[in-house]
Structures are given as structure tokens and as C-alpha cells.
Amino acid sequence: ELWDTPRTGAPSSKGGVTVWQHNDGVQDQPVFYVSRDGSEPEVLLDPNGLSDDGAVAVMVWTLSPDGARLAYTLSEAGSDRQVARVRDTATGEDLDDELRHLRFTNLAWWGNGFFYSRFPDLPDGDVGLFENMSVHYHRIGDAQSDDDLVFANPEAPSLGYVPEVSDDDAYLVLTEFDGTSHETGLLYAPLPKGDGPFTRIV
């Protein structure tokens, strides 16, 4: 009874478009709503209808700088393997973009696309090892096979990297981590090139 109460997440506003999550109190997953310049809210994405058993969940989401697109990742049955999609905030329809083999990443918008982290291709059902994570840049409309490789560290395959873009769009920043260790690293490279050389801060 304490848990079954309406709750709303913090909004994200870009380019006059505002997106937020709301759960009416009894939904398995919160629903994404969108408003443009203060217009009446509309449903943008309802994860509860993505699968018959309700096992598909939105894990990561981020609004593009102009508010035109919502990039988000989906996980099935609690898996840490995710698929990224891009939704048009005006039409509520997904674009053709689909990125696979993502785990433990965020989606960092820059230009006409975003940076993300992924693992090598594996057959469906093969969870693989947590090794050889790499950072890529995806341009909207391109196939994932055409995405630019931005950073990889084959000499230390166990390390992971999470990309972020600085507030002034001038730098790509990578947070380096090693499993559940509290020790982390920080690297950066200037944009627009973004593929190095990276400078290590920590």
C-alpha cells in the first residue's frame, strides 16, 4: 500500500521539449510523457506495452539537445545486455536506428548522434564475458556497423568506459572502471574529433 502511490520522475527539457516519467501507482513501469512549449502532456513511450509479459524495461534514456529525439535502451528479463533505439518526440515513432550489444553504458548526445559503449558481437543468448568494452559514435540514420570506433583499450580488456560530453560540447570524457572496484579513472579528448589522443586526468 505504501508503494502503490503515484510518483513522477525529474523532467528533462531541451529545445522547448520536456520529457519525464510518471507511474500512476500500480504500473509495473513508469510511462514517458512529452510536452512541447507547455502543451498538454502526451504519452511518448509506454514500456508496459513493449512485451506481453512486461519483462522489457527502459534502462537508460536521454533527450537530444534540440528535443527532437529520445534515445533509450531496452533490457529484457532483467538482463544487463541492452538494445538502444531512438524515438521521434513529435511523432512518437521509433526511427530505424537499432544498436545492439550494449551493457553498462549511457547515451551521450553530440552533433547528429551520440556516443555509447558496447561489447563485441555475440550470438543471442550468449552473455559473454565482461571484456573488450569499446566506445563508439552513432550518427542518426546510419547502420551500427558504420559507427565510428572512438576508444578501445585491448591491453586491459577487463576495464570499462562510460562516455559523457562536456556541457560546452567541447570534450568527450570517459569514466574508466574495473568491475565493482571503487577505483576509477578519467580521460578526455577534444571534440569534434573525439577519437584521441585521450588525456588521462586520474
Side-chain angles (χ1 to χ4, degrees), residues 83-98:
V83 175
R85 302 299 307 266
V86 180
R87 179 155 296 203
D88 188 307
T89 59
T91 66
E93 299 293 331
D94 279 342
L95 307 181
D96 292 335
D97 304 67
E98 181 177 277

Side-chain angles (χ1 to χ4, degrees), residues 172-188:
L172 174 63
V173 181
L174 303 180
T175 299
E176 179 184 70
F177 63 96
D178 188 3
T180 58
S181 171
H182 292 295
E183 297 181 354
T184 58
L186 199 64
L187 305 88
Y188 79 94

Side-chain angles (χ1 to χ4, degrees), residues 13 20 27 32 36 72 78 82 93 97 109 127 147 152 156 187 189 194 200:
S13 294
W20 68 95
Q27 292 166 308
F32 288 81
R36 297 171 193 80
Y72 63 98
Q82 301 169 35
E93 299 293 331
D97 304 67
W109 283 98
V127 297
D147 290 353
L187 305 88
R200 178 174 291 277

Side-chain angles (χ1 to χ4, degrees), residues 101-123:
H101 309 293
L102 279 62
R103 296 168 74 186
F104 313 114
T105 186
N106 64 353
L107 308 173
W109 283 98
W110 186 83
N112 188 39
F114 52 82
F115 296 96
Y116 68 97
S117 302
R118 60 160 294 173
F119 287 83
D121 290 355
L122 291 171

Side-chain angles (χ1 to χ4, degrees), residues 23-148:
N23 191 311
D24 64 11
V26 296
Q27 292 166 308
D28 291 331
Q29 301 177 56
V31 176
F32 288 81
Y33 289 86
V34 62
S35 174
R36 297 171 193 80
D37 297 318
S39 64
E40 284 297 315
E42 300 175 359
V43 173
L44 177 63
L45 173 62
D46 185 355
N48 298 287
L50 294 177
S51 62
D52 293 337
D53 59 1
V56 175
V58 174
M59 303 300 292
V60 176
W61 62 277
T62 179
L63 194 59
S64 64
D66 60 1
R69 300 183 178 104
L70 180 79
Y72 63 98
T73 67
L74 297 172
S75 168
E76 186 171 358
S79 172
D80 57 26
R81 295 185 69 177
Q82 301 169 35
V83 175
R85 302 299 307 266
V86 180
R87 179 155 296 203
D88 188 307
T89 59
T91 66
E93 299 293 331
D94 279 342
L95 307 181
D96 292 335
D97 304 67
E98 181 177 277
L99 311 181
R100 304 181 64 83
H101 309 293
L102 279 62
R103 296 168 74 186
F104 313 114
T105 186
N106 64 353
L107 308 173
W109 283 98
W110 186 83
N112 188 39
F114 52 82
F115 296 96
Y116 68 97
S117 302
R118 60 160 294 173
F119 287 83
D121 290 355
L122 291 171
D124 289 340
D126 184 349
V127 297
L129 299 175
F130 185 87
E131 290 185 343
N132 298 306
M133 192 179 198
S134 54
V135 179
H136 299 255
Y137 179 73
H138 174 72
R139 295 176 184 84
I140 299 301
D142 284 0
Q144 186 177 15
S145 57
D146 295 329
D147 290 353
D148 296 334

